[in-house]
Amino acid sequence: MTPLVSTGKRIPDYLNAAYGLKSWLFTTDHKRIALLYMASVTMFFFLGGLMAVLIRLELVTPQGDLVEPDVYNRLFTMHGIIMVFFFLIPAIPATLGNFLIPIMIGAKDLAFPRINLGSWYVYNAGGLFTMYSILNGGVDTGWTFYTPFSTTFSNTYVLATGLGIFITGFSSIMTGLNFLVTIHRMRAPGLTWFRLPLFVWAHYATSIIMLLGTPVLAITVLLVALERSFHIGVFDPAYGGDPILFQHLFWFYSHPAVYIMVLPAMGVISELITCFARKRVFGYRFIAYSSVAIAVLGFLVWGHHMFTTGQSIYASTIFSVLSMLVAVPSAIKVFNWTATLYRGSISWDTPMLYALGFIGLFTIGGLTGVMLATLGIDIHVHDTYFVVAHFHYIMVGGTIMGYLGGIHFWWPKITGRMYPAFWSKFAAITIFIGFNLTFFPQFILGYMGMPRRYHAYPDEWQVLNVMSSAGASILGVGYLIPMIYLAWSMRYGPRAEANPWGAVGLEWEIQSPPTAHNFETEPVVDKEAYAYTAEQGYVPPTKEAEFV
Amino acid sequence: MSDASAVQHPKLQHYFHSLRQQTETVTLGMWMFLVTEVMFFGGLFAVYALYRSQYPEAFAAASSHLPINLGAINTAVLIGSSLTMVLAVWAAQTGRQKMIAVFLLLTFVLGAAFLGIKTVEYADKWNHHLVPGPSFQFEGADPGQARMFFHLYFAMTGLHAVHMIIGMVFILMWVPRALRGEFTREWNDPVEILGLYWHFVDLVWIFLFPLLYLIGRHTG
Ligand SMILES: [Cu+2]
């Protein structure tokens, strides 16, 4: 396919449009901001990963011998806070979403480029507060900040960390707002709602959650801060306050937050599956609507985190039923992806390995989620490693597989370079194996009753814990390999063509890497998003993607 | 393919086709921001609703310590400031550039008057030991629950005041821009969206006033 650039004179791509540190720190180009975000979230990912290493090391032996109990409390707390708020939530929207949404809808930039840049600074300002708290010893409340421990009893850096989360929340709001307005107002001529790539639909739904949920987290964290610093104790039982109310407000955001993490990954998977099966997506509208359904239903299920709080049995029953209901739109997606694969001409490139890995891991995570939504099982395994395994299957098995799949898919577009085929496939398989070895034993441990957040455990659970820690080291290696070859590829990788995978979509019709304004002539869209049939003029690539 | 209007308006950003598209986009952005504000205050209102339904007597008793006349005056002041803000937007849309600055300044003055009266109220609470903290004292049946009322009173009015201050900072920043003649009949998005924001903050107070000052009044 030829790039839309046809003016004769060569326009520099966005990486070469300007040089120097200032051209990056003050850029309003959504593509450069995406790369800034990528650098930041990667840093936080490895910081959070470092905490995970220490946690898994401690759990190799039944005795609490590596770190003190209160250090262990801080480790799992900081691991959770960093991974959830500073990696998983921004990971796909702020990087891939930022880079791709304007291009996919045929726009030159997001609706508010300066707000977009501002969001990156806000994110980092929140990160600084959190780093400050880590360097001073961190927080020991768990990432959930339950009152009254967080408001009254914990004497760690709750205020600084809470402030960090409060601030970072605004970067999430800014991103979501930007996406919603952009998707509404800046689509190219002919690009109707049902011609949008499912990646865009997924981000639309994600942005709704960011916009409606994050402010509630902000006010909740603010109330904790007011209670700690100004005696304004709305959760304090001494004045008739209810600590459980905190949990309601917290989970009103933090359950939907799971969908902020996983919906964008689902959007990535829809793009990967169609491309590497060379097929129209099965049931486009169902996948599109199911994203919105997840966003809406996700707001009605928070009570499933509170089955053991003395919540009324009627409320719990309703929350339980609604939680199972959210599984329906998720299942629709999985079935539709599978149906898309059926009789497709499948190629096994690296992004596809991640996509298939996602489907497997997300299915396990989702089904165990349905188990947890039932009242009886939840009360049995509440606060055990079963829950830990479940949400890691969703967040790590889902979000990170989607993120890495997307990075490998769009890397040629983003950097204009290819990466080594062998090593990238090797890493994808390593991650899949390492992940399952880490977290599957935790389901069994949890079912046997091992509680989460303890640094010591009875001897009979050692074998499974050693398996988990061994898996974690394989997983760690799996994450390091892409760091190495992607860094190598940025400088030495072979040049990528405009469309190395033979994919359809506006982003593949422009050059790699794109020019600063993406399109030199405005695109006009006259077909659906997944026009992979010969009647629609699709020509499959004649050769394999050019790898090393 | 290329832009229909031959001459680009200086305020038209390169990634929009027309001023109309730009204005629609910017106002939609502000409306969406206001949605987040509704959720932000909504969390606080939910907390209020819960505790008030649990402790109706204590809340009514505590509410009777708020000066209803000052609250009423402040309500009138804020509604007046919304009027001047509307007039500023009207002046912008009809190209009366000096008038924009005049009405923005009037809005600022009324906002400052509101905050002044609020300060008097806060000082009065302090003198009567009604500020949550070690010196809090309340003569009544349930001092703890009454204190919860004051927790919410300070959190809600304080957060509202912070929003007022932010709005007033922007008003002050917009005045010189108006005087320079930046806002024209064709392009006045900043005035328009500042107006939206200001009305929202006003509206929050319209809810706060009855919820905090007027509860239990009808029973005497
Ligand atoms: Cu949940």
Side-chain angles (χ1 to χ4, degrees):
Chain A
M1 248 166 247
T2 48
L4 283 178
V5 188
S6 56
T7 43
K9 73 172 192 303
R10 178 124 183 105
I11 302 161
D13 62 56
Y14 78 101
L15 295 168
N16 292 305
Y19 298 101
L21 191 64
K22 260 173 86 178
S23 78
W24 282 89
L25 292 181
F26 295 105
T27 182
T28 52
D29 184 340
H30 64 103
K31 299 179 289 301
R32 286 191 167 209
I33 298 168
L35 292 188
L36 292 175
Y37 258 116
M38 209 177 275
S40 299
V41 300
T42 306
M43 196 201 79
F44 277 107
F45 175 72
F46 279 97
L47 191 65
L50 193 70
M51 316 271 175
V53 168
L54 294 171
I55 292 169
R56 279 323 315 171
L57 275 177
E58 167 62 69
L59 293 176
V60 168
T61 56
Q63 306 80 26
D65 39 17
L66 182 69
V67 293
E68 297 294 315
D70 65 317
V71 174
Y72 186 80
N73 290 346
R74 291 158 201 238
L75 279 176
F76 71 70
T77 301
M78 299 318 293
H79 168 70
I81 288 171
I82 289 172
M83 286 305 203
V84 169
F85 296 109
F86 293 94
F87 177 73
L88 289 164
I89 285 176
I92 299 179
T95 60
L96 294 172
N98 221 336
F99 193 98
L100 291 163
I101 285 175
I103 303 181
M104 282 180 167
I105 66 166
K108 289 180 176 171
D109 207 322
L110 286 172
F112 305 113
R114 276 188 298 175
I115 290 181
N116 193 21
L117 177 65
S119 86
W120 181 70
Y121 280 102
V122 168
Y123 166 87
N124 283 305
L128 280 181
F129 273 98
T130 308
M131 291 294 287
Y132 164 83
S133 128
I134 294 174
L135 294 176
N136 281 283
V139 188
D140 64 351
T141 58
W143 78 279
T144 48
F145 289 100
Y146 274 9
T147 53
F149 184 64
S150 63
T151 45
T152 314
F153 300 108
S154 171
N155 46 25
T156 53
Y157 285 76
V158 177
L159 213 55
T161 317
L163 215 58
I165 291 170
F166 179 81
I167 295 169
T168 305
F170 283 97
S171 82
S172 181
I173 292 175
M174 289 156 108
T175 304
L177 190 147
N178 227 333
F179 286 174
L180 280 182
V181 176
T182 305
I183 297 169
H184 266 283
R185 287 277 183 254
M186 301 182 70
R187 301 192 309 276
L191 190 50
T192 56
W193 282 91
F194 292 106
R195 284 178 181 168
L196 285 174
L198 290 165
F199 181 87
V200 177
W201 271 98
H203 276 78
Y204 185 83
T206 308
S207 305
I208 293 176
I209 305 174
M210 286 170 155
L211 218 60
L212 295 182
T214 322
V216 178
L217 177 77
I219 189 71
T220 310
V221 175
L222 197 64
L223 287 173
V224 169
L226 286 179
E227 184 154 346
R228 265 186 92 88
S229 40
F230 295 113
H231 309 283
I232 296 184
V234 301
F235 304 119
D236 192 339
Y239 314 113
D242 188 352
I244 301 290
L245 177 60
F246 169 85
Q247 295 187 28
H248 280 289
L249 292 170
F250 179 82
W251 289 114
F252 180 82
Y253 167 78
S254 294
H255 181 82
V258 176
Y259 302 121
I260 296 181
M261 305 172 205
V262 85
L263 271 170
M266 292 168 152
V268 171
I269 302 307
S270 295
E271 303 299 313
L272 303 190
I273 295 281
T274 46
C275 172
F276 293 103
R278 313 270 169 224
K279 261 186 78 185
R280 294 178 63 186
V281 73
F282 182 86
Y284 173 94
R285 285 192 186 220
F286 273 92
I287 300 188
Y289 285 136
S290 67
S291 289
V292 180
I294 288 174
V296 173
L297 285 173
F299 275 111
L300 306 174
V301 301
W302 77 89
H304 63 213
H305 295 270
M306 300 168 61
F307 288 157
T308 59
T309 56
Q311 174 175 266
S312 110
I313 185 69
Y314 303 107
S316 290
T317 308
I318 290 167
F319 279 126
S320 165
V321 171
L322 286 171
S323 303
M324 292 182 207
L325 216 60
V326 196
V328 174
S330 304
I332 285 175
K333 284 179 192 285
V334 171
F335 290 136
N336 283 17
W337 292 324
T338 318
T340 308
L341 290 173
Y342 178 66
R343 304 193 66 176
S345 55
I346 292 170
S347 44
W348 302 92
D349 290 302
T350 312
M352 186 60 156
L353 297 184
Y354 282 108
L356 297 173
F358 173 97
I359 295 180
L361 301 182
F362 177 76
T363 303
I364 296 176
L367 287 176
T368 50
V370 177
M371 287 170 74
L372 285 170
T374 56
L375 291 165
I377 295 179
D378 183 76
I379 287 165
H380 176 61
V381 297
H382 184 82
D383 264 353
T384 67
Y385 267 86
F386 192 90
V387 178
V388 174
H390 155 69
F391 70 68
H392 279 89
Y393 264 82
I394 296 284
M395 293 175 178
V396 188
T399 308
I400 297 188
M401 295 300 270
Y403 177 63
L404 289 174
I407 291 281
H408 283 86
F409 186 52
W410 284 290
W411 185 262
K413 183 57 61 186
I414 295 171
T415 63
R417 306 263 185 183
M418 296 305 290
Y419 46 81
F422 171 78
W423 286 108
S424 58
K425 288 181 187 180
F426 178 77
I429 293 165
T430 308
I431 288 173
F432 186 80
I433 294 170
F435 176 84
N436 281 300
L437 190 56
T438 311
F439 292 105
F440 205 85
Q442 296 185 5
F443 277 126
I444 305 166
L445 282 169
Y447 201 76
M448 296 196 307
M450 178 167 168
R452 63 196 282 200
R453 297 179 167 174
Y454 278 74
H455 77 315
Y457 54 84
D459 291 340
E460 58 263 36
W461 289 333
Q462 191 176 11
V463 175
L464 286 166
N465 269 296
V466 169
M467 278 170 73
S468 181
S469 293
S473 23
I474 297 173
L475 188 58
V477 171
Y479 288 141
L480 282 173
I481 300 171
M483 281 303 290
I484 298 166
Y485 66 72
L486 289 180
W488 173 87
S489 147
M490 272 193 267
R491 237 191 129 81
Y492 305 107
R495 297 273 174 194
E497 298 165 24
N499 188 3
W501 313 113
V504 298
L506 285 176
E507 78 270 32
W508 302 110
E509 292 175 23
I510 56 173
Q511 67 177 57
S512 302
T515 58
H517 292 169
N518 304 336
F519 302 96
E520 298 313 315
T521 50
E522 192 185 26
V524 178
V525 179
D526 56 3
K527 52 179 179 250
E528 61 168 305
Y530 304 102
Y532 280 107
T533 63
E535 301 89 77
Q536 290 161 311
Y538 177 70
V539 186
T542 47
K543 56 182 168 66
E544 292 277 298
E546 287 284 340
F547 278 114
V548 185
Chain B
M1 305 288 276
S2 71
D3 201 15
S5 58
V7 188
Q8 279 244 336
H9 191 281
K11 290 295 181 188
L12 179 62
Q13 301 292 336
H14 72 88
Y15 41 92
F16 291 115
H17 295 112
S18 61
L19 278 178
R20 200 187 129 98
Q21 185 200 17
Q22 179 169 315
T23 302
E24 280 176 352
T25 306
V26 169
T27 36
L28 181 65
M30 181 44 91
W31 278 107
M32 293 216 174
F33 174 70
L34 295 183
V35 169
T36 71
E37 289 279 35
V38 168
M39 295 307 289
F40 187 68
F41 278 102
L44 207 48
F45 278 94
V47 174
Y48 170 91
L50 179 79
Y51 290 140
R52 183 177 159 193
S53 66
Q54 278 183 348
Y55 315 122
E57 289 89 9
F59 268 47
S63 167
S64 68
H65 286 256
L66 298 184
I68 196 164
N69 50 347
L70 290 183
I73 293 171
N74 252 350
T75 308
V77 167
L78 263 198
I79 292 176
S81 80
S82 258
L83 176 68
T84 53
M85 184 53 100
V86 169
L87 290 171
V89 174
W90 164 79
Q93 284 168 351
T94 50
R96 295 170 164 82
Q97 283 158 351
K98 288 262 150 46
M99 299 284 264
I100 305 174
V102 170
F103 284 122
L104 283 179
L105 277 173
L106 270 176
T107 312
F108 180 87
V109 169
L110 288 171
F114 175 93
L115 290 178
I117 294 174
K118 202 82 224 142
T119 314
V120 172
E121 283 187 53
Y122 281 173
D124 183 62
K125 297 288 159 304
W126 178 261
N127 293 332
H128 289 89
H129 301 283
L130 292 173
V131 176
S135 66
F136 182 86
Q137 276 171 25
F138 186 84
E139 312 289 327
D142 294 296
Q145 295 169 8
R147 184 172 153 167
M148 181 58 83
F149 175 84
F150 284 103
H151 287 161
L152 288 164
Y153 168 79
F154 280 102
M156 294 169 106
T157 57
L159 216 55
H160 176 257
V162 168
H163 278 78
M164 297 268 309
I165 293 167
I166 292 170
M168 286 162 67
V169 168
F170 277 98
I171 289 175
L172 274 195
M173 282 160 54
W174 268 213
V175 168
R177 294 178 72 181
L179 289 174
R180 278 201 304 269
E182 231 186 283
F183 306 132
T184 59
R185 205 192 293 252
E186 293 76 39
W187 182 81
N188 48 56
D189 300 349
V191 184
E192 170 93 30
I193 61 169
L194 183 58
L196 285 174
Y197 174 82
W198 191 260
H199 297 318
F200 171 81
V201 177
D202 188 2
L203 203 58
V204 171
W205 177 258
I206 302 296
F207 281 94
L208 286 180
F209 176 58
L211 286 179
L212 293 172
Y213 289 72
L214 302 182
I215 53 178
R217 299 278 174 177
H218 55 285
T219 54

